[in-house]
């Protein structure tokens, strides 16, 4: 649906939202269901409607609680029976500069202004702490936009008496709190309002007539921003950017004249493409993987990527498909090579015909409209495809990990016996408890892993700590190292013991290590550890989603017996611990 892509089609989003909702639900019959409480300092009805649409586009169906008008603080501090019973998964505090109850004037001393700032900030911090203590769920807080007037003109931003200065200082306090507290996120309406146009965003008509904190047409942009944070929390980000070459990464046709490509500082057009390449390279630093899908001879493609004025080099890409095959077929091949679903990809190509073919033939791929090289960065950036809510060490070296996987695949091709190939990898699995060092990565995996994920239980870092500290839980995470490199933490299991039965509530694995025997090692360890705790029976659970069909029969392969199946395909499996036969995978196992 093009209305959800930047630039947003606000007319369609606002006027046809009921039809859009029906269509989105029909496209995704098994959405992830989440409860979101919106605590508003202004009217929030349209905010909830639009946020619900954007989340449905990401496969998340939201149920909303909304505070009464401007009762955000009262609901947070004193609660309501409805909010208490709602048990939100996420709380969004929708406030704006109009919810500041005091602003400086030229009559105030600097000491008075500092006290005013502290008092206004404490109002919010007290609320955040109350919500954390009561609900323990992620909180998304708007920072402050600015009034669309400046009483002192340009002086307003630097003079302590200026409203712009005061609001800027308040925002900095919000950012410091966010940096110091997990599961607290800023929705940057200061940026959104500037990008939209502050005069239009802050149109006073909509405040005085409807008590909306911004103009009606800006609400989809706000909702899109909040939805990007939420979908990132639940692992619905895109993971890879697939790029065309000619007139996408450089100006001109590489097959015609490598030296004549527009790239680099000599001409304005070349500077535009160099800046875009720099942006793409920077995406690697937040864990985005890059690939090439180009109709070109491979030698020409590599020559272009080695252009002396270029920023990207062949090693920056985990896969380079430069041939004369259809681009949708190349993209499907890239997805298969990387063990990623098609909906993990963004396809960037200057040619609208190629974009249309990929969009039609590879459902789930995001295909932004690239109109003019000077707009490429804006189109990708405003699309919100790669929103960052957490950044792990594994994210920082994602490209390196995929290059190592390519080396493994190349090595596999030289063996006729798969067992011999596995032995040649010289693998060592380290399987441990949920140790503090790995808490962030474990929580991240629960929210990112979708294919090899039996229950799709999404956990915060606090959830993982609670499991680790509860003696009733048996928790293990697995790290895999081989001769090509360290894959990091790649698999997680957690079971809750009730008497002589262990219930496996969580079992997932990164698709990077499929068919390497890591699941065998984890099962061997889990069964042995369970037996040592007096467990006689292990129960495993499979809850079907649109993406995890690959593990439908996972437990059967380990000798579990299916004991229950519901109408939606959910299954329960049972294992007699005494009868389990260890798999003894092709690896050394350390604990």
């Amino acid at each position: 649906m093009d209305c959800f892509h930047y630039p947003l089609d606000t007319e369609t989003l606002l006027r046809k939202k009921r039809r859009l909702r029906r269509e989105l639900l029909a496209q995704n019959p098994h959405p992830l269901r989440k409860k979101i409480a919106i605590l508003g300092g202004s009217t929030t009805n349209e905010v909830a409607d639009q946020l619900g649409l954007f989340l449905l586009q990401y496969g998340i169906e939201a149920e909303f609680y909304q505070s009464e008008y401007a009762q955000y603080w009262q609901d947070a501090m004193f609660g309501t029976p409805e909010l208490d019973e709602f048990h939100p998964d996420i709380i969004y505090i929708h406030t704006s500069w109009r919810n500041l109850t005091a602003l400086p004037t030229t009559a105030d001393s600097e000491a008075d202004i500092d006290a005013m700032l502290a008092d206004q900030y404490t109002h919010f911090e007290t609320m955040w702490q109350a919500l954390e203590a009561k609900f323990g769920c992620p909180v998304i807080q708007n920072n402050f936009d600015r009034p669309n007037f400046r009483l002192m003109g340009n002086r307003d931003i630097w003079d302590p008496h200026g409203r712009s200065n005061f609001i800027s200082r308040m925002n900095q306090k919000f950012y410091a709190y966010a940096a110091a507290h997990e599961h607290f996120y800023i929705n940057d309406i200061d940026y959104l309002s500037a990008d939209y146009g502050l005069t239009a965003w802050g149109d006073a008509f909509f405040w005085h007539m409807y008590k909306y904190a911004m103009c009606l047409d800006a609400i989809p942009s706000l909702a899109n921003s909040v939805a990007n944070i939420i979908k990132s929390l639940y692992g619905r980000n895109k993971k890879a950017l697939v790029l065309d070459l000619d007139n996408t990464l450089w100006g001109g046709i590489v097959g015609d004249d490598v030296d004549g490509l527009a790239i680099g500082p000599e001409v304005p057009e070349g500077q535009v493409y160099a800046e875009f390449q720099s942006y793409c390279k920077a995406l690697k630093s937040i864990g985005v993987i890059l690939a090439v899908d180009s109709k070109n001879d491979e030698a020409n493609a590599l020559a272009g990527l080695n252009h002396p004025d270029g920023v990207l080099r062949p090693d920056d890409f985990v896969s380079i498909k430069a041939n004369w095959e259809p681009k949708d077929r190349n993209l499907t091949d890239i997805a298969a090579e990387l063990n990623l679903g098609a909906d993990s990809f963004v396809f960037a190509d200057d040619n609208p015909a190629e974009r249309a073919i990929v969009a039609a033939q590879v459902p789930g791929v995001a295909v932004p409209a690239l109109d003019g090289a000077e707009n490429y960065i804006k189109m990708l950036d405003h699309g919100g495809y790669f929103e960052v809510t957490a950044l792990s060490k594994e994210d920082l070296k994602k490209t390196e990990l995929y290059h190592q996987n390519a080396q493994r695949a190349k090595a596999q091709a030289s063996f006729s016996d798969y067992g011999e190939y596995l032995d040649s990898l010289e693998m060592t699995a380290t399987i441990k408890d949920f140790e503090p060092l790995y808490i962030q990565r474990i929580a991240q995996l629960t929210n990112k892993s979708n294919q090899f994920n039996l229950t799709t239980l999404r956990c915060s870092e606090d959830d993982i700590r609670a499991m680790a500290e509860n003696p009733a839980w048996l928790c293990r995470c697995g790290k895999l190292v081989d001769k090509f490199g360290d894959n990091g933490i790649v698999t997680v299991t957690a079971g809750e013991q009730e008497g002589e039965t262990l219930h496996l509530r969580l079992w997932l694995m990164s698709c990077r290590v499929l068919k390497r025997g890591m699941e065998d090692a984890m099962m061997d360890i889990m069964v042995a550890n369970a037996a040592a705790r007096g467990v006689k029976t292990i129960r495993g659970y499979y809850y079907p989603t649109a993406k995890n069909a690959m593990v439908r029969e996972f437990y059967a392969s380990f000798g579990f017996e299916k004991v229950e199946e519901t109408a939606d395909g959910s299954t329960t499996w049972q294992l007699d611990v005494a009868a389990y036969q260890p798999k003894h995978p092709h690896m050394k196992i350390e604990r």
Side-chain angles (χ1 to χ4, degrees):
M1 297 181 182
D2 290 341
C3 60
F4 290 103
H5 295 301
Y6 182 82
L8 303 176
D9 181 352
T10 57
E11 182 175 357
T12 298
L13 288 165
L14 291 168
R15 311 291 183 251
K16 299 180 180 179
K17 56 190 176 186
R18 291 182 179 82
R19 189 201 75 191
L20 290 171
R21 177 177 173 79
R22 288 194 302 270
E23 292 176 356
L24 288 166
L25 284 170
Q27 290 175 10
N28 192 342
H30 301 291
L32 180 65
R33 291 181 170 85
K34 293 295 174 183
K35 294 183 176 181
I36 301 173
I38 301 179
L39 307 185
S42 57
T43 303
T44 60
N45 293 336
E46 191 63 49
V47 173
D49 287 350
Q50 292 297 312
L51 180 56
L53 285 181
F54 279 95
L55 289 175
L56 271 178
Q57 189 214 4
Y58 299 126
I60 302 170
E61 184 177 10
E63 178 185 351
F64 290 103
Y65 167 90
Q66 297 182 64
S67 66
E68 295 295 331
Y69 167 71
Q71 295 296 299
Y72 71 97
W73 199 84
Q74 289 84 345
D75 278 18
M77 295 301 298
F78 309 118
T80 69
E82 294 80 9
L83 179 58
D84 294 345
E85 293 172 6
F86 187 66
H87 300 298
D89 297 301
I90 287 177
I91 295 171
Y92 168 44
I93 304 172
H94 177 57
T95 49
S96 70
W97 74 270
R98 292 184 181 276
N99 297 116
L100 293 170
T101 55
L103 289 165
T105 70
T106 53
D108 295 315
S109 69
E110 291 195 26
D112 290 337
I113 295 170
D114 289 345
M116 185 187 302
L117 184 73
D119 181 64
Q120 291 289 294
Y121 172 73
T122 299
H123 169 87
F124 285 92
E125 184 182 274
T126 303
M127 173 181 65
W128 302 331
Q129 293 174 345
L131 290 171
E132 168 63 24
K134 189 168 191 176
F135 297 108
C137 66
V139 172
I140 300 171
Q141 169 70 61
N142 286 350
N143 60 4
F144 293 107
D145 50 352
R146 300 182 187 184
N148 57 2
F149 63 91
R150 298 175 300 170
L151 189 64
M152 294 187 284
N154 288 296
R155 186 184 181 100
D156 211 68
I157 192 61
W158 63 264
D159 190 310
H161 300 87
R163 291 185 171 192
S164 298
N165 179 273
F166 186 84
I167 288 170
S168 179
R169 293 173 67 191
M170 275 289 290
N171 281 341
Q172 289 299 322
K173 285 181 170 290
F174 278 33
Y175 307 154
Y177 187 91
H181 293 81
E182 294 174 354
H183 318 308
F184 182 88
Y185 305 93
I186 296 294
N187 181 48
D188 189 3
I189 68 170
D190 185 34
Y191 170 82
L192 292 175
S193 60
D195 182 64
Y196 190 87
L198 190 57
T199 299
W201 171 280
D203 189 337
F205 170 82
F206 291 92
W207 173 258
H208 296 299
M209 181 63 73
Y210 307 112
K211 289 299 183 283
Y212 280 129
M214 67 284 301
C215 71
L216 182 64
D217 283 350
I219 291 178
S221 296
L222 171 86
N224 183 37
S225 179
V226 180
N228 284 334
I229 297 173
I230 295 172
K231 58 93 170 166
S232 177
L233 291 175
Y234 292 114
R236 301 303 172 96
N237 266 359
K238 301 298 184 183
K239 298 177 181 179
L241 174 61
V242 179
L243 293 147
D244 174 47
L245 296 178
D246 294 333
N247 294 312
T248 299
L249 283 186
W250 51 67
I253 309 298
V254 68
D256 295 340
D257 181 8
V258 174
D259 294 333
L261 297 181
I263 177 71
E266 300 304 326
V267 294
E269 184 185 9
Q271 295 169 25
V272 169
Y273 286 105
E275 186 174 45
F276 180 56
Q277 287 199 20
S278 296
Y279 171 79
C280 294
K281 189 152 187 162
L283 288 174
K284 291 174 54 186
S285 70
I286 59 170
V288 178
I289 55 178
L290 306 180
V292 166
D293 184 357
S294 173
K295 286 185 175 176
N296 252 311
D297 289 328
E298 184 173 348
N300 287 336
L302 294 175
L305 289 171
N306 285 308
H307 192 286
D309 291 330
V311 178
L312 290 168
R313 293 289 180 254
D315 284 349
D316 290 313
F317 300 91
V318 299
S319 179
I320 296 176
K321 299 291 185 188
N323 53 42
W324 300 101
E325 295 293 323
K327 291 189 177 182
D328 57 302
R329 188 178 304 168
N330 279 337
L331 200 152
T332 302
D333 289 345
I334 293 170
E337 289 174 7
L338 302 179
N339 282 319
L340 292 175
D343 59 356
S344 296
F345 290 86
V346 177
F347 176 68
D349 194 311
D350 69 294
N351 188 326
E354 297 288 5
R355 296 198 301 265
I357 292 170
V358 168
Q361 297 300 318
V362 193
V365 175
V367 186
L370 299 187
D371 180 19
E374 67 278 7
N375 295 317
Y376 289 175
I377 294 176
K378 179 173 65 176
M379 301 303 286
L380 289 175
D381 183 70
H382 284 36
Y385 305 112
F386 308 114
E387 181 83 23
V388 176
T389 49
L391 201 58
S392 68
K393 291 181 179 178
E394 283 79 4
D395 290 326
L396 300 179
K397 60 178 184 178
K398 191 71 67 67
T399 297
E400 177 186 347
L401 293 174
Y402 277 100
H403 278 309
Q404 291 169 2
N405 261 3
Q407 291 177 291
R408 296 180 187 104
K410 185 177 180 180
Q412 181 182 347
S414 66
F415 286 88
S416 58
D417 182 88
Y418 190 66
E420 291 179 4
Y421 160 68
L422 291 178
D423 287 335
S424 77
L425 291 176
E426 303 171 10
M427 293 184 289
T428 297
T430 303
I431 298 175
K432 296 186 175 183
D433 296 340
F434 287 0
E435 296 181 350
L437 177 64
Y438 302 124
I439 293 295
Q440 182 190 47
R441 172 59 176 167
I442 293 168
Q444 186 186 53
L445 275 174
T446 70
N447 287 296
K448 282 190 172 184
S449 300
N450 295 306
Q451 293 176 276
F452 198 114
N453 193 334
L454 285 112
T455 61
T456 61
L457 178 67
R458 309 300 186 180
C459 301
S460 67
E461 292 178 31
D462 287 340
D463 294 331
I464 297 300
R465 289 191 189 92
M467 290 180 188
E469 295 168 0
N470 189 332
W473 283 76
L474 175 60
C475 304
R476 297 291 181 266
C477 62
K479 179 180 181 181
L480 186 63
V481 177
D482 60 32
K483 68 179 183 181
F484 292 111
D486 184 349
N487 292 278
I489 298 296
V490 292
T491 185
V492 177
T493 62
E496 183 180 15
Q497 185 174 352
E498 294 179 353
E500 296 183 339
T501 300
L502 182 72
H503 300 271
L504 295 176
R505 307 296 188 193
L506 177 65
W507 192 303
L508 59 87
M509 190 170 73
S510 168
C511 289
R512 291 203 313 272
V513 296
L514 281 177
K515 300 180 180 179
R516 302 267 301 278
M518 195 63 188
E519 61 269 49
D520 300 333
M522 287 294 282
M523 186 65 82
D524 285 356
I525 294 295
M526 284 295 287
V527 174
N529 291 166
R533 294 166 61 121
V535 170
K536 305 296 185 185
T537 303
I538 297 179
R539 283 207 156 200
Y541 302 90
Y542 166 73
Y543 304 137
T545 70
K547 295 185 177 182
N548 71 351
M550 68 182 299
V551 291
R552 185 184 303 277
E553 300 296 321
F554 172 78
Y555 286 115
S557 67
F558 289 96
F560 284 67
E561 177 187 358
K562 188 191 297 185
V563 295
E564 184 180 356
E565 182 167 3
T566 62
D568 69 352
S570 296
T571 52
T572 302
W573 302 76
Q574 188 162 297
L575 175 74
D576 178 358
V577 170
Y580 178 72
Q581 298 295 317
K583 295 288 188 177
H584 302 300
H586 296 254
M587 61 183 64
K588 178 182 177 182
I589 298 177
E590 297 180 348
R591 306 183 193 184

